[in-house]
């Protein structure tokens, strides 16, 4: 993480965990034992909270994408196995789905790295401008 989570309260950490497991903000707020209005305010105005939430969400998604990419080899094997089968339709559709999602995960990861680099450059430029 970017170090921003050090300034969060235990309730904010609980809210981040709840946001990652619940279907909507209302359920996440209830699970974290904070008012929904408070959760929405943190998401709208608290930079440290938003940064920690995004970092945590990214970590979770990186693991998910890694698992998907590991499964891609099995998907390719299923495709190869079923190239000459009688009714491989369901298995092939599943295999193709895994491959599509694995490649999208890689694309998103690459895009995320580019955005983070641009953000880093922008912050450096802003810091340089304030020092000048």
């Amino acid at each position: 993480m970017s170090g921003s989570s050090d300034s969060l309260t235990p309730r904010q950490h609980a809210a981040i965990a709840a946001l990652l497991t619940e279907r909507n903000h209302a359920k996440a707020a209830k699970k974290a034992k904070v008012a929904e209005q408070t959760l929405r305010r943190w998401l709208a105005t608290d930079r440290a909270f938003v940064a920690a939430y995004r970092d945590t969400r990214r970590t979770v998604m990186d693991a998910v994408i890694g698992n998907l990419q590991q499964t891609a080899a099995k998907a390719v094997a299923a495709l190869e196995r079923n190239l000459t089968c009688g009714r491989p339709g369901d298995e092939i559709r599943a295999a193709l789905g895994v491959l599509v999602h694995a490649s999208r995960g890689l694309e998103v990861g690459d895009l995320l790295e580019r955005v983070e680099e641009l953000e880093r450059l922008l912050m450096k430029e802003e810091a340089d401008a304030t020092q000048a």
Side-chain angles (χ1 to χ4, degrees):
M1 286 195 210
S2 58
S4 60
S5 70
D6 295 344
S7 64
L8 300 183
T9 68
R11 286 183 349 157
Q12 287 177 313
H13 284 289
I16 289 171
L19 282 167
L20 294 171
T21 59
E22 297 302 317
R23 298 184 81 128
N24 57 48
H25 290 159
K27 290 182 180 182
K30 184 177 181 179
K31 185 174 186 177
K33 299 180 181 164
V34 298
E36 183 179 353
Q37 178 181 345
T38 300
L39 179 59
R40 289 186 183 279
R41 182 173 30 86
W42 288 341
L43 287 166
T45 63
D46 189 326
R47 286 182 155 183
F49 179 80
V50 172
Y53 171 53
R54 286 185 180 155
D55 286 347
T56 305
R57 186 176 61 185
R58 185 176 305 131
T59 299
V60 169
M61 287 310 298
D62 283 349
V64 168
I65 290 166
N67 288 340
L68 253 178
Q69 290 170 334
Q70 290 173 353
T71 305
K74 293 177 184 174
V76 170
L79 283 172
E80 290 173 349
R81 222 178 24 255
N82 286 286
L83 285 175
T84 57
C85 265
R87 291 188 46 108
D90 291 342
E91 202 167 336
I92 287 175
R93 277 192 297 279
L96 289 172
V98 168
L99 290 173
V100 165
H101 290 293
S103 66
R104 282 186 187 156
L106 186 58
E107 290 170 2
V108 168
D110 290 345
L111 184 58
L112 180 62
E113 286 179 23
R114 293 176 67 190
V115 168
E116 287 174 339
E117 177 63 15
L118 289 172
E119 288 175 339
R120 187 189 65 73
L121 291 171
L122 181 61
M123 287 183 356
K124 183 181 182 295
E125 194 172 293
E126 288 173 350
D128 290 346
T130 57
Q131 291 176 355

